[in-house]
Amino acid sequence: MPTKPARRPAKPKPPAALDPAADELADEAVYRRLGFVETDLSGRTAALAEFEQCRFRTANLSNTRLERASFTDCLLESSDLANLRTVKSSLHRVHLSADRMTGLHWVDGALREVAITDCRADLSSFRFTAFQNVLFEDCVLTRADFQNADLTGARFVNCDLTGAQFSHAKMTGTRLTGCVLAHLGGVSSLAGATVSGADLVALTYTLAGALGINIEDS
């Protein structure tokens, strides 16, 4: 039976007209229908903040710490999320595009109906996070950490995953297409994942190394 084509994540639904957001971040605050354009929220700390139908464009959230935050129907475009650290936070119907996400920590969280495209997310960490219909496309994910994550609902398309760590991740149903898969950690966790044929050559060397097999060129 042919494999059913994967469905792209649902699109966020922010309104066309948004009120401008202030450069502030507070505990238990609800931010609804706001435009964070060139807004500087770097280095802030907040718990239980909620963002609904918001748009972040060239915003700065670098080195910010969020606990139990939620983003619903939001767009994050060309923004700086480097070293943003979150715990038990969620993304639902969110699209991140052309963002700088180096060193991002999204730990013990949940991503549902999320598209992450053209982003630099090297050295990022998604440990213990659950993915439900999540797409990584054209992203740099070198040395990203997916340990103990539930990736059964994740797809990676044209991503650089060199040195990424997948130890103890759940990957039955995960799809990887056109990706760089060199030097993966926890490669045995890929059991049950679907990998495109073009990616198998690099993955063969990674698997051989994990099993202690020496490959001789004839």
Side-chain angles (χ1 to χ4, degrees):
M1 180 179 296
T3 303
K4 184 178 180 180
R7 177 178 63 82
R8 290 189 71 88
K11 293 182 179 180
K13 302 174 182 178
L18 298 168
D19 294 326
D23 291 353
E24 61 181 27
L25 193 60
D27 291 345
E28 301 185 30
V30 177
Y31 303 94
R32 185 177 290 116
R33 298 185 177 185
L34 297 178
F36 293 84
V37 180
E38 298 184 357
T39 308
D40 187 359
L41 298 174
S42 61
R44 312 295 176 88
T45 301
L48 298 169
E50 299 179 20
F51 300 87
E52 299 177 6
Q53 294 187 301
C54 292
R55 188 168 195 164
F56 296 78
R57 181 181 294 166
T58 61
N60 188 353
L61 288 88
S62 62
N63 297 296
T64 291
R65 294 176 178 268
L66 300 174
E67 183 177 349
R68 298 181 185 274
S70 65
F71 294 77
T72 305
D73 284 321
C74 292
L75 295 167
L76 292 91
E77 305 160 311
S78 302
S79 294
D80 190 351
L81 282 65
N83 298 308
L84 169 67
R85 292 177 177 266
T86 77
V87 177
K88 296 184 182 298
S89 296
S90 65
L91 300 175
H92 181 209
R93 285 194 306 273
V94 173
H95 186 189
L96 300 96
S97 62
D99 294 317
R100 178 174 176 249
M101 298 165 59
T102 299
L104 168 78
H105 277 223
W106 201 280
V107 176
D108 199 14
L111 278 67
R112 182 158 57 101
E113 301 293 337
V114 174
I116 303 173
T117 60
D118 297 302
C119 292
R120 183 171 189 91
D122 53 314
L123 301 171
S124 56
S125 177
F126 295 92
R127 288 189 177 196
F128 296 96
T129 290
F131 294 76
Q132 183 177 341
N133 199 25
V134 175
L135 171 66
F136 289 91
E137 188 170 30
D138 298 315
C139 291
V140 176
L141 288 158
T142 53
R143 297 175 64 188
D145 188 352
F146 294 96
Q147 291 188 68
N148 296 98
D150 184 347
L151 291 163
T152 54
R155 285 182 291 139
F156 299 86
V157 179
N158 299 330
C159 293
D160 186 351
L161 286 157
T162 301
Q165 177 60 254
F166 291 100
S167 292
H168 306 294
K170 297 178 182 178
M171 299 186 70
T172 299
T174 306
R175 302 184 68 89
L176 301 101
T177 306
C179 295
V180 180
L181 302 176
H183 311 298
L184 299 185
V187 68
S188 61
S189 293
L190 269 69
T194 299
V195 180
S196 65
D199 299 338
L200 283 177
V201 174
L203 186 58
T204 296
Y205 283 88
T206 301
L207 287 167
L211 295 172
I213 298 171
N214 296 316
I215 298 178
E216 276 189 353
D217 295 325
S218 56

